[in-house]
């Protein structure tokens, strides 16, 4: 809802063009468009919103969290950390990844991240960090993956 109305105010074609975690003042909002967004959200939700809404809650995600807390105060904890970023990644991958090398590197990184969340990996005695399985990661790694490991994991870039 917030991103849709922000996109309309900015003249964008849709909500996908408004990043949830990016400051609205950074993407072109000023005091007049901030008032317009507040008025649109007030009309859509039927909930009174302060004139300082955009300044108190500078990103679409922050405004959405504020609205959720105001409109559904007993909704419980919010989404798990990282879910919004995964949604953005999913949207970025909708068109597919053409280059097989890029696709393999991306798949490797996603497997690594998934391994951090896998309870079986942490139950095996590690703490879920990349350092736990460096030998396993290197056994099946391509040359590019090994160089990326050296650059990113060992801090040599």
């Amino acid at each position: 809802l917030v991103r849709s109305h922000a996109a309309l105010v900015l003249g964008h074609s849709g909500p996908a063009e408004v990043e949830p975690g990016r400051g609205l003042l950074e993407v072109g909002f000023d005091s007049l468009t901030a008032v317009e967004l507040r008025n649109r959200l007030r009309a859509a939700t039927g909930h009174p919103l302060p004139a300082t809404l955009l300044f108190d809650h500078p990103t679409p995600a922050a405004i959405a969290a504020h609205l959720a807390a105001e409109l559904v105060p007993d909704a419980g904890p919010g989404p798990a950390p990282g879910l919004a970023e995964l949604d953005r990644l999913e949207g970025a991958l909708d068109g597919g990844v053409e280059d097989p090398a890029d696709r393999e590197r991306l798949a490797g990184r996603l497997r690594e991240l998934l391994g951090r969340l896998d309870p079986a990996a942490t139950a095996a005695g590690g703490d879920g960090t990349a350092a736990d399985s460096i030998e396993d990661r290197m056994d099946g790694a391509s040359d590019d993956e090994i160089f990326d490991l050296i650059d990113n994991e060992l801090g040599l870039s």
Side-chain angles (χ1 to χ4, degrees), residues 1 4 14 24 30 34 37 39 43 57-58 61 64 70 73 78 80-81 97 104 110 113 115 126 134 136-137 141 151:
L1 175 74
S4 294
L24 292 170
D30 58 21
L37 176 63
N39 291 343
H57 309 283
E70 291 288 317
V97 180
E104 183 57 37
L110 290 172
L113 293 172
I134 203 143
D136 293 334
R137 290 173 54 204
D151 289 341

Side-chain angles (χ1 to χ4, degrees), residues 50-112:
T52 59
L53 176 71
L54 190 73
F55 302 99
D56 296 337
H57 309 283
T59 66
I63 293 171
H66 171 72
L67 287 172
E70 291 288 317
L71 298 173
V72 190
D74 296 329
L83 287 180
E85 289 80 7
L86 285 175
D87 289 342
R88 281 199 325 237
L89 176 61
E90 184 178 18
L93 295 175
D94 280 346
V97 180
E98 297 296 323
D99 183 7
D102 287 343
R103 190 171 40 252
E104 183 57 37
R105 285 181 47 210
L106 181 59
R109 289 288 308 275
L110 290 172
R111 282 190 293 272
E112 175 188 335

Side-chain angles (χ1 to χ4, degrees), residues 8 18 25 36 43 47 50 59 64-65 80-81 100 104 106 118 121 126 146 157:
L8 285 171
V18 179
L25 294 174
E36 184 180 349
H47 186 73
T59 66
E104 183 57 37
L106 181 59
D118 184 0
I146 291 173
S157 63

Side-chain angles (χ1 to χ4, degrees), residues 29-46:
F29 271 83
D30 58 21
S31 57
L32 291 176
T33 52
V35 170
E36 184 180 349
L37 176 63
R38 184 212 50 198
N39 291 343
R40 285 175 169 274
L41 292 174
R42 181 175 48 202
T45 63

Side-chain angles (χ1 to χ4, degrees), residues 18 28 51 69 83 107 128 131 135 143 156:
V18 179
L83 287 180
E135 291 173 353
D143 292 344
L156 298 177

